[in-house]
Amino acid sequence: MFDLIIKNATLPDGRSGVDIACQDGIITAVEAGITAEATEVIDAKGYLVSPPFVDPHFHMDATLSLGTPRMNVSGTLLEGIALWGELKPVQSVDDIIQRALRYCDLAVSMGLGAIRSHVDTCDDELKGVEALLEVRDQVKDYIDLQLVAFPQDGVLRDPTAMANTLRALDMGVDVVGGIPHFERTMADGAESVRQLCKIAADRGLMVDMHCDESDDPHSRHIETLAYETQRLGLQGRVAGSHLTSMHSMDNYYVSKLIPLMVEAGVHAIPNPLINIMLQGRHDTYPKRRGQTRVRELRDAGITVGFGSDCVMDPWYSMGTADMLDVAFMGLHVGQLSSREDMAWCFDAVTQNSAHIMGLGGYGVAKGCAANLVLLQARDKIETIRLRADRLAVIRKGKVIARKQPSVSNLSLPGRPKSLDPADYAPKSPS
Ligand code: FE2
């Protein structure tokens, strides 16, 4: 007698007609024809069953604050930072907690099982840190929330940022963050990377820096981040987020930079939705795309995970916690249009980001955590194409969100009476 059996699933690796049995929060069998009884049985009807979506880059202290205290008129990163600076002093710890909890409700409904959120440490009261530590505890049964100490105004530029960042880490924030391109000078940016990586090395922590979120091809803090990572032996524990300046860099320089990143085992976290919106704002035409060199980083062997960054906050007015929107945009901006590339975009919002966050027990395999999502689509590519509905979200073997399949009823002469968008999958997707 199992807690849960999902019948007739298609898996991300392409296997179909598979049953998945779960017991005590763990996947205990993944095979065809499981006949045992279970407390709950779900018929997947051939739809895809995936491990949950993972967002490796988010700002939960700012989410759902859109319009408070005003809108971002220019649409730029810098006005967004200024607007956030206006909101910080007037929001309470409880305001942040309530917004974050509402966002987590939405995230669960969209099949998100893990989120890495940066939390601003440029606040002498550390209201965001206090709030998100509380939220991390409150949601732990349904979302793995990993927090990054993020000195938004520059760890060297803001006079109390270093002390507050250290205090946040002492309070239990998980990861060391930074924003070298926002320091006063290139030299200060590089120095901030050195100091923050040293803190991570001393404390045995991971690093995730906002790095070169700029159209300036000379913003090269990723070079320093890669150098410090290998110098301090932090390989595999460091991520560079955004990396948008790489889009504008000289090709010859990039031919040296990417091998340095590979040597250092630095991960890359592009944020397609926000950066297609923010970057290139100083351009007339042609306007640069706001995305780092995803294909080249991936092909070099760097783990690339797509993040969402923002939902309805001072920087981005859109967003529904849908990592398939993120994959869809990353696919288009990166021109990742082959079958292999499109399928890889699904990995970039699931397993790649789980690897970057260091999540254990992630996957659809015996012994993994029974955290799963049933999607109304028949393979990874179709899931992105359709931004497929999440029919069931399962955490530790229990269904925590359900949705009826989207089926349209048609009244057309001589045509079918109903339409399932998943039935439009190509006949021979190879
Ligand atoms: Fe960010």
Side-chain angles (χ1 to χ4, degrees):
M1 183 81 175
F2 292 106
D3 294 333
L4 171 69
I5 295 177
I6 303 173
K7 307 285 287 183
N8 190 22
T10 300
L11 303 186
D13 64 11
R15 282 179 288 164
S16 59
V18 175
D19 299 344
I20 304 165
C22 307
Q23 183 68 34
D24 299 327
I26 302 293
I27 297 173
T28 49
V30 180
E31 57 198 47
I34 296 174
T35 54
E37 303 266 299
T39 307
E40 172 149 22
V41 177
I42 295 174
D43 181 2
K45 299 178 179 169
Y47 290 141
L48 188 73
V49 174
S50 164
F53 295 106
V54 178
D55 186 353
H57 189 112
F58 193 61
H59 293 264
M60 203 175 281
D61 49 358
T63 194
L64 303 185
S65 68
L66 181 66
T68 312
R70 62 181 176 84
M71 292 289 180
N72 181 340
V73 177
S74 68
T76 60
L77 173 69
L78 295 182
E79 184 173 345
I81 293 174
L83 210 169
W84 174 235
E86 295 169 31
L87 175 57
K88 275 197 285 185
V90 299
Q91 65 180 350
S92 70
V93 171
D94 193 54
D95 291 338
I96 302 168
I97 290 174
Q98 295 310 320
R99 289 201 318 259
L101 288 174
R102 273 192 84 212
Y103 182 79
C104 289
D105 297 341
L106 179 65
V108 165
S109 76
M110 301 305 270
L112 263 164
I115 300 172
R116 171 181 279 183
S117 174
H118 296 253
V119 52
D120 191 349
T121 55
C122 290
D123 163 23
D124 289 343
E125 296 177 75
L126 289 180
K127 285 188 279 193
V129 172
E130 182 184 338
L132 291 195
L133 286 169
E134 170 66 23
V135 171
R136 184 180 69 181
D137 188 54
Q138 285 198 35
V139 304
K140 65 179 186 298
D141 288 337
Y142 52 93
I143 287 181
D144 296 310
L145 179 57
Q146 194 177 72
L147 300 177
V148 185
F150 175 49
Q152 170 79 73
D153 300 328
V155 76
L156 301 180
R157 188 171 180 174
D158 180 285
T160 56
M162 180 58 87
N164 288 333
T165 300
L166 291 170
R167 201 150 55 89
L169 295 171
D170 289 341
M171 289 165 71
V173 171
D174 307 280
V175 179
V176 179
I179 185 165
H181 57 277
F182 198 67
E183 301 291 353
R184 288 189 177 87
T185 63
M186 292 290 184
D188 269 8
E191 179 59 23
S192 77
V193 172
R194 280 190 280 275
Q195 291 188 21
L196 290 163
C197 285
K198 176 74 164 52
I199 290 165
D202 290 346
R203 292 176 176 241
L205 299 176
M206 292 188 284
V207 175
D208 187 337
M209 289 205 192
H210 285 64
C211 203
D212 306 321
E213 189 179 6
S214 159
D215 297 318
D216 176 4
H218 299 291
S219 187
R220 297 176 171 185
H221 299 296
I222 181 59
E223 179 187 275
T224 308
L225 184 62
Y227 178 79
E228 290 301 311
T229 300
Q230 62 82 25
R231 186 179 75 83
L232 294 167
L234 295 173
Q235 286 89 343
R237 287 162 47 189
V238 175
S241 281
H242 297 289
L243 303 173
T244 50
S245 74
M246 287 186 73
H247 186 94
S248 300
M249 285 176 183
D250 172 72
N251 287 337
Y252 187 87
Y253 174 70
V254 172
S255 75
K256 177 189 175 192
L257 174 62
I258 289 181
L260 286 178
M261 294 171 68
V262 173
E263 177 190 24
V266 170
H267 311 307
I269 306 176
N271 297 285
L273 291 172
I274 185 73
N275 287 127
I276 197 68
M277 186 68 93
L278 291 180
Q279 305 311 126
R281 292 270 176 164
H282 293 218
D283 296 353
T284 53
Y285 289 95
K287 278 181 183 287
R288 283 168 287 181
R289 296 168 184 225
Q291 188 157 288
T292 191
R293 303 189 186 206
V294 171
R295 180 192 301 282
E296 291 76 9
L297 290 165
R298 179 201 64 181
D299 289 351
I302 291 167
T303 303
V304 180
F306 287 147
S308 72
D309 203 12
C310 300
V311 169
M312 299 178 73
D313 71 7
W315 295 273
Y316 189 62
S317 304
M318 299 276 108
T320 57
D322 189 349
M323 295 309 293
L324 293 172
D325 275 349
V326 174
F328 188 82
M329 182 62 79
L331 182 157
H332 282 78
V333 178
Q335 297 180 324
L336 296 162
S337 56
S338 72
R339 302 295 296 177
E340 294 77 14
D341 285 344
M342 291 192 288
W344 176 87
C345 287
F346 186 86
D347 299 339
V349 291
T350 52
Q351 65 186 35
N352 296 6
S353 297
H355 175 71
I356 291 171
M357 285 181 63
L359 300 179
Y362 182 87
V364 187
K366 185 177 178 181
C368 288
N371 301 334
L372 300 162
V373 183
L374 172 61
L375 294 142
Q376 191 182 350
R378 305 202 188 280
D379 63 38
K380 295 195 287 190
I381 298 170
E382 283 293 293
T383 301
I384 296 173
R385 186 181 72 80
L386 296 165
R387 269 80 84 225
D389 276 343
R390 287 70 168 164
L391 305 181
V393 180
I394 294 149
R395 179 80 174 187
K396 296 177 183 167
K398 294 193 170 54
V399 180
I400 58 171
R402 290 180 204 268
K403 188 173 188 182
Q404 291 299 313
S406 292
V407 177
S408 297
N409 295 316
L410 301 180
S411 298
L412 302 172
R415 302 306 302 158
K417 297 298 178 208
S418 67
L419 185 154
D420 177 348
D423 288 341
Y424 281 70
K427 289 281 181 277
S428 304
S430 59

